[in-house]
Amino acid sequence: MLYSSSRLLAARAATTLPAQPRARDSAPRCRRRELHFPGHPALPVCYFLAGRLTRPSLPLGRRVILRRGKMPPAMGGSLSGSELRARRGRCGPQAARTVGPDMATEDAARSPKRPAQGSRRLEAAGRWALLVLVTLLSFATRFHRLDEPPHICWDETHFGKMGSYYINRTFFFDVHPPLGKMLIGLAGYLSGYDGTFLFLKPGDKYEHHSYMGMRGFCAFLGSWLIPFAYLTVLELSKSVPAALLTAALLTFDTGCLTLSQYILLDPILMFFIMAAILSMVKYNSCADRPFSAPWWLWLSLTGISIAGALGVKFVGLFVILQVGLNTVSDLWHLLGDLSLSLVTVGKHLLARILCLIVLPLALYTATFAVHFLILSKSGPGDGFFSSAFQARLSGNNLHNASIPEHLAYGSVITVKNLRMASGYLHSHRHLYPEGIGARQQQVTTYLHKDYNNLWIIKKHNTNADPLDPSFPVEFVRHGDIIRLEHKETSRNLHSHYHEAPLTRKHYQVTGYGINGTGDSNDFWRIEVVNRKFGNRIKVLRSRIRLIHLVTGCVLGSSGKVLPKWGWEQLEVTCTPYLKDTLNSIWNVEDHFNPKLPNISLDVLKPSFSEILLESHMVMFRGNSGLKPKDNDFTSKPWHWPINYQGLRFSGANDTDFRVYLLGNPVVWWLNLLSIALYLLTGSLIAVAVQRGVRLPVEVEGLSQVLLHGGGQALLGWMLHYFPFFLMGRILYFHHYFPAMLFSCMLTGILWDTLLRLGAWRLASCIHLWGILSLLLGTAYSFYLFHPLAYGMVGPLAQNPLSPMAGLRWLESWDF
C-alpha cells in the first residue's frame, strides 16, 4: 500500500512539475506529505522524486525507512524504534529548496509549525499531569492511616529490632545483606527514635517510642513503585492507557499496599528492583545516542539500583540476571552491526563492565564496610562467627583479651566448630528421648555464648585435679588421649555404636558418667590438622580433630536442627568417615587457666576481605537453614499467583485490630489470566511472523510492542518467580510480590494492545471503554477489600455484620 501510494505521488509530481533539464534530474526533489495512521497525529514526510522510486523521510535531518507491511502502532501518539528505523540523512532544508513556491505554500498550509509545537507542548503537559496524579494517588494510599496499628506487626519485630541495633551499634546476625536494615535504622535515628524499644513480639505497643519515621521511610519507598511502573510501561509500549492501567493495578492492590506500610525489607527491595528496570529501559531508549550524557546517566543508575537490590536481599540476584540478559542481547546486536567498528563495540563493552559490574560491586562492598564500621559492639550475633571475627567486637570476651596461648590439662575451654554458623560444643541436663539411641545426656552445638558451653580438659587415665598447685603445668599435645568433662553437669563427652538422632550411619554423641567417672567410650585422641606429634596446641589458631578411641569415628556437627526435644539446637555426631571437612574441625576459643601466662589476641584480628567472605558464608548457611516458627503461615510457590492464602499481620479475634496480607483478588486473577493469554497470543504472533504471514500494518506494529515490551515484563515475572521452586528454605507469601510487579506491567501492556486491535477491527470506542472498565473495576474491588490493608475491627468475616461479609471467596482466606 505504501509503495503504490509512493508511485501515485511520483506520477502526480511528474504531471504537475515543469520539466527540468536532465543534468538537474540527478538532484533529489522533495514533496512534503502527511501519512495518517490510526491513533496517531499526522506524520509529515518528504518524498524524494528521482525518476521512478520514492522514499519517505522525516523533514528534520533524519531519514525514516518504512518497510513494506510495517506501520507504527497506535501507541498514544509516538513512534517505536521497532517500527521506524531512523538513519542519519539529509532531507528537510535541502529538499525544501528543490520544490516550487506553490508546493511550499501548500505544505505550510497543511502542517503549520506553531500549532504543531503547541500540540506537542499540550501533549507533554498532559503526560506530566498524569504522572503527577499517579504519584500523588500512590503516596495518598500508602500514607493513609500509617500510624495504625500502634503496635508491632508481623516481621516488624525483626527489622525494627535490627534498626535499633544499628542505632546502638550492637552487632547482630541476619540472613540478608545489611543495606535495608541500615536504611531503616538511619530513618529511625533521623526521626528521633533512640533505639530503646525492645521489639520483643508482635502485638507489643510502641507507646511513647517513635516508630513513624521507620514506617514512613518504608511507605515513601513503596509509594515510588507505582510511578516507576508507570514510566517503565510507558517506555516499553509508548501507550499512556497501558501505563495508567498498570499504575491502577498496583495502586489498588491491597497486598502491595500492606507491605509498603510497615517496617519491612520488602518495599525497599521492590523500590530498587523497579528503579533498576526503569533505568534499564531508559538507557535502552538512548541506544541511538550512545555515550551521551543521558545514556551514561541511565546506565549508571541501573548499576546503582542493582547494587541496592542485592544489598537488601539476595533475591536481588534475579533483577541482576534480567539486566545481564538484556545487556548480553544488546552487545550481541551491536557486534552484528557491521557499520560499527570493533573499537566502538569494545567501548560499549567497557562501559557496561564499568557501570553494571564494577560500580555495583564497589557499592555493595562499601555497604558491608559501613555495616562493620557501625556495628562495633558485641551482640547476639557473635556466636555465628569465628573466634577471630569476634575478637574485633568491643565487649566480647575475646576483644583486646589476654588468654593463655597453649592448651594445658585442667583448663576450662569452649570448643567451636569451624563450619560457619555451627556454634559451640554444648551439653545440658536434658536426656535424649526414648527411641533415640541411648537415653543419655544430650550433646549439641549452640550458636550463643552460654555456661553450658564450658568443658574441662583432663587426662584419660586419672581424676586428679590438674589445677592443684602441687602439680606442674602439663601442656596438651598433638596425639594425646584426653577426656572432656562438662563443667556444669560433670558428665564426659561420650560416643558409642548407637545411631545418631538425625544423620544415618553416624554414631550418637552423649554426656555420660558421674562426677567425671565413666568408661573407655569417653576417651578421645586430639589431633592438630597438618601438625606433627609432640607439638603444643594453640588457642584459636590450632585446627583440631577429636577422634573417638574405641570406634575410630570423628566428632563433628552435621548442621541439622534437632526437634523441640533438642531445643532446636544443632546435631552433634561421630562420623566414621575420616574426611577433613569443616564439620569435623574445631578450635579452642575461650581458655581459662590460672597457672598459665596470658598473651594479647590483637594479632588475630582478620582483614576486611576475610570478614566479608565469612559474613557471606554465614548468611548463605543461615538462609538455607531457615525453618518455620510456631503459628507461621508458610506457603508454597504454586499458591502465590492464585492468591490462595494470605498472611496475618496483626490480630486474631473480633477485639483486635486485624491486618491481613492478601492481594486484591480482581487484580491478581486478572494478572493470572493475562499471563496465560499472553503466552497464547504471543506464541501465535511469533509463529505467524516466523512463517512469513503478512499481517495488517496496524496488527504488525502492535504485535511488535506486545512481543518486545510484554516479553520484557514476562521475563521479569519468570525470573522473580520460578527460582523459588528450587529453594529448600522456608517460603512465605510475601516472596511473590517482586514478581507481581512484573505481572501487573504485563497486564497493562497486554490489555491495551488487545483492546486497540479490537478497536481497529470493530469500533474505535472499544479501546476507550475497555480501559475505562478495567480501571473502574479495579478501583471498585479496592473499595471492597481495602479493610484488609487499613485494618478491621469488630465482627469477623463469617458474621453478616462484618464489612468483609460475603467477600471470603476462598475457604483458605482466614481473615
Side-chain angles (χ1 to χ4, degrees):
M1 182 184 71
L2 186 59
Y3 282 97
S4 60
S5 301
S6 302
R7 296 191 185 98
L8 178 61
L9 290 172
R12 284 186 57 192
T15 58
T16 56
L17 292 178
Q20 299 292 335
R22 180 175 297 274
R24 300 190 60 180
D25 282 347
S26 59
R29 291 173 294 163
C30 176
R31 183 167 186 177
R32 299 174 61 86
R33 284 291 183 266
E34 293 180 350
L35 295 181
H36 295 271
F37 300 111
H40 281 277
L43 174 66
V45 296
C46 290
Y47 288 88
F48 286 100
L49 306 178
R52 296 171 51 234
L53 186 61
T54 65
R55 180 169 290 181
S57 175
L58 289 174
L60 298 177
R62 297 188 68 81
R63 182 179 302 168
V64 175
I65 299 175
L66 295 180
R67 296 179 177 177
R68 183 178 183 87
K70 287 197 175 184
M71 293 181 69
M75 297 181 298
S78 57
L79 300 173
S80 171
S82 61
E83 288 78 37
L84 296 182
R85 187 179 62 181
R87 292 185 178 176
R88 298 184 182 276
R90 299 192 310 177
C91 184
Q94 269 195 341
R97 287 195 293 268
T98 65
V99 299
D102 56 335
M103 295 179 65
T105 305
E106 178 187 356
D107 293 339
R110 285 178 178 268
S111 54
K113 184 176 181 181
R114 289 182 181 178
Q117 287 181 346
S119 175
R120 286 195 296 269
R121 289 175 181 173
L122 184 61
E123 181 181 352
R127 291 196 176 190
W128 278 106
L130 282 176
L131 177 59
V132 171
L133 178 62
V134 165
T135 305
L136 289 177
L137 186 59
S138 173
F139 274 79
T141 54
R142 270 60 186 166
F143 278 85
H144 179 61
R145 299 180 66 176
L146 187 63
D147 58 330
E148 296 183 1
H151 61 248
I152 299 174
C153 291
W154 196 50
D155 268 358
E156 283 188 325
T157 185
H158 298 303
F159 303 118
K161 183 186 299 182
M162 292 170 188
S164 299
Y165 285 144
Y166 278 105
I167 294 174
N168 298 319
R169 308 193 65 175
T170 302
F171 186 79
F172 66 95
F173 164 71
D174 186 43
V175 296
H176 304 300
L179 179 60
K181 284 97 64 179
M182 273 200 295
L183 293 175
I184 289 173
L186 178 62
Y189 176 77
L190 295 177
S191 61
Y193 171 59
D194 57 5
T196 58
F197 188 64
L198 297 179
F199 285 96
L200 290 179
K201 63 183 185 301
D204 289 352
K205 294 187 179 299
Y206 287 112
E207 296 176 344
H208 64 279
H209 296 278
S210 175
Y211 65 97
M212 283 296 293
M214 292 182 283
R215 278 193 184 175
F217 171 73
C218 294
F220 175 79
L221 295 187
S223 299
W224 283 108
L225 299 178
I226 288 88
F228 283 0
Y230 174 90
L231 292 172
T232 301
V233 171
L234 188 62
E235 195 65 47
L236 290 173
S237 68
K238 306 299 182 187
S239 172
V240 173
L244 277 177
L245 179 56
T246 300
L249 294 173
L250 289 174
T251 302
F252 298 131
D253 177 60
T254 52
C256 191
L257 168 61
T258 302
L259 280 182
S260 298
Q261 287 198 307
Y262 297 95
I263 307 171
L264 304 171
L265 296 184
D266 300 272
I268 309 174
L269 171 68
M270 292 190 289
F271 170 84
F272 283 114
I273 289 175
M274 287 306 303
I277 296 299
L278 174 60
S279 302
M280 183 188 73
V281 299
K282 282 290 188 181
Y283 95 74
N284 283 342
S285 70
C286 297
D288 60 337
R289 293 171 292 156
F291 309 109
S292 62
W295 187 87
W296 279 111
L297 173 65
W298 289 115
L299 188 63
S300 301
L301 286 176
T302 305
I304 294 171
S305 299
I306 61 177
L310 184 60
V312 176
K313 281 188 176 183
F314 284 123
V315 294
L317 287 169
F318 303 152
V319 74
I320 292 177
L321 182 58
Q322 183 168 5
V323 172
L325 292 174
N326 177 81
T327 303
V328 170
S329 174
D330 190 21
L331 290 172
W332 182 252
H333 284 93
L334 289 172
L335 185 63
D337 189 348
L338 299 182
S339 66
L340 299 178
S341 67
L342 290 178
V343 174
T344 303
V345 175
K347 290 179 180 179
H348 278 278
L349 176 62
L350 288 176
R352 285 156 176 81
I353 291 175
L354 176 65
C355 294
L356 300 181
I357 298 178
V358 176
L359 178 60
L361 281 177
L363 293 175
Y364 181 75
T365 305
T367 300
F368 276 89
V370 176
H371 169 71
F372 295 134
L373 182 65
I374 295 175
L375 302 184
S376 59
K377 299 179 181 179
S378 178
D382 293 17
F384 290 87
F385 293 83
S386 67
S387 307
F389 185 99
Q390 296 178 43
R392 56 177 293 277
L393 300 173
S394 62
N396 189 284
N397 61 329
L398 297 177
H399 180 68
N400 293 332
S402 296
I403 62 175
E405 181 180 12
H406 296 101
L407 191 61
Y409 289 103
S411 297
V412 178
I413 62 174
T414 60
V415 183
K416 185 176 177 62
N417 191 266
L418 292 190
R419 180 178 177 179
M420 299 297 179
S422 285
Y424 301 92
L425 187 65
H426 176 96
S427 187
H428 41 239
R429 297 186 183 276
H430 301 278
L431 306 180
Y432 286 101
E434 290 287 349
I436 306 295
R439 188 168 170 78
Q440 298 174 5
Q441 185 168 295
Q442 297 177 15
V443 173
T444 64
T445 56
Y446 187 50
L447 290 167
H448 304 284
K449 300 281 189 178
D450 191 278
Y451 285 112
N452 282 322
N453 300 340
L454 297 177
W455 301 82
I456 305 173
I457 186 166
K458 293 186 175 182
K459 286 190 172 184
H460 72 288
N461 55 1
T462 179
N463 283 323
D465 184 8
L467 297 182
D468 190 323
S470 62
F471 288 96
V473 174
E474 187 174 356
F475 292 102
V476 180
R477 298 178 184 274
H478 172 78
D480 282 0
I481 308 300
I482 65 168
R483 177 166 51 87
L484 286 177
E485 180 182 317
H486 190 241
K487 189 174 186 303
E488 293 297 307
T489 63
S490 299
R491 296 185 187 273
N492 297 324
L493 185 69
H494 178 97
S495 187
H496 42 224
Y497 286 105
H498 291 276
E499 192 173 67
L502 302 179
T503 307
R504 297 183 61 188
K505 298 184 180 180
H506 285 207
Y507 300 140
Q508 182 187 35
V509 177
T510 67
Y512 179 76
I514 300 174
N515 294 324
T517 301
D519 59 26
S520 60
N521 280 325
D522 304 337
F523 301 156
W524 303 81
R525 183 171 70 250
I526 186 168
E527 293 184 355
V528 181
V529 178
N530 299 326
R531 290 295 181 94
K532 298 179 180 178
F533 279 85
N535 287 354
R536 295 180 182 180
I537 296 175
K538 294 182 178 181
V539 176
L540 294 177
R541 284 176 283 186
S542 290
R543 297 153 58 94
I544 62 175
R545 297 194 309 169
L546 294 171
I547 301 177
H548 193 243
L549 204 60
V550 174
T551 65
C553 60
V554 181
L555 184 73
S557 173
S558 68
K560 297 178 181 178
V561 179
L562 294 170
K564 289 184 179 179
W565 56 257
W567 304 94
E568 298 182 345
Q569 296 173 8
L570 303 184
E571 180 191 39
V572 169
T573 69
C574 197
T575 171
Y577 309 107
L578 304 180
K579 297 180 180 179
D580 285 336
T581 63
L582 293 180
N583 300 56
S584 59
I585 298 178
W586 308 76
N587 74 299
V588 177
E589 183 175 289
D590 297 300
H591 184 206
F592 308 98
N593 194 318
K595 299 174 68 174
L596 295 176
N598 295 332
I599 64 165
S600 174
L601 297 181
D602 286 344
V603 295
L604 301 179
K605 291 183 179 178
S607 64
F608 173 73
S609 58
E610 292 172 328
I611 295 173
L612 185 64
L613 177 61
E614 180 178 348
S615 63
H616 279 79
M617 294 296 293
V618 172
M619 285 189 291
F620 292 149
R621 281 190 48 78
N623 251 311
S624 62
L626 284 177
K627 301 296 180 183
K629 300 181 288 292
D630 291 340
N631 302 320
D632 266 0
F633 291 95
T634 59
S635 59
K636 298 180 180 179
W638 69 267
H639 291 167
W640 302 341
I642 62 177
N643 212 23
Y644 177 76
Q645 185 181 38
L647 197 155
R648 187 180 297 124
F649 262 44
S650 175
N653 53 58
D654 57 359
T655 61
D656 293 336
F657 188 93
R658 303 187 304 280
V659 177
Y660 190 74
L661 176 66
L662 185 73
N664 184 332
V666 173
V667 172
W668 285 56
W669 294 341
L670 179 63
N671 287 344
L672 190 61
L673 173 65
S674 299
I675 292 171
L677 197 58
Y678 178 84
L679 292 174
L680 176 62
T681 57
S683 300
L684 292 176
I685 291 173
V687 169
V689 171
Q690 190 68 16
R691 294 295 299 171
V693 176
R694 288 191 177 183
L695 301 174
V697 287
E698 294 86 351
V699 174
E700 186 166 357
L702 290 169
S703 67
Q704 292 299 315
V705 174
L706 191 63
L707 290 177
H708 296 147
Q712 192 71 257
L714 180 67
L715 176 64
W717 177 78
M718 294 171 64
L719 290 176
H720 286 81
Y721 175 51
F722 287 116
F724 286 102
F725 284 94
L726 306 177
M727 294 185 183
R729 57 155 289 173
I730 193 66
L731 297 173
Y732 298 98
F733 177 49
H734 71 99
H735 287 133
Y736 180 70
F737 278 83
M740 180 263 183
L741 299 175
F742 291 94
S743 65
C744 286
M745 291 191 286
L746 177 62
T747 299
I749 295 173
L750 174 72
W751 286 100
D752 174 72
T753 304
L754 294 181
L755 290 171
R756 285 187 185 278
L757 289 173
W760 170 73
R761 293 293 296 174
L762 301 174
S764 59
C765 63
I766 286 181
H767 178 261
L768 173 63
W769 287 107
I771 294 292
L772 189 60
S773 299
L774 290 171
L775 292 175
L776 293 177
T778 304
Y780 180 68
S781 66
F782 175 73
Y783 167 75
L784 294 177
F785 287 94
H786 77 274
L788 296 175
Y790 289 131
M792 303 166 282
V793 178
L796 302 178
Q798 297 86 341
N799 192 316
L801 299 178
S802 170
M804 304 303 295
L807 295 176
R808 193 163 175 257
W809 297 346
L810 294 181
E811 288 296 325
S812 54
W813 296 350
D814 54 351
F815 54 77

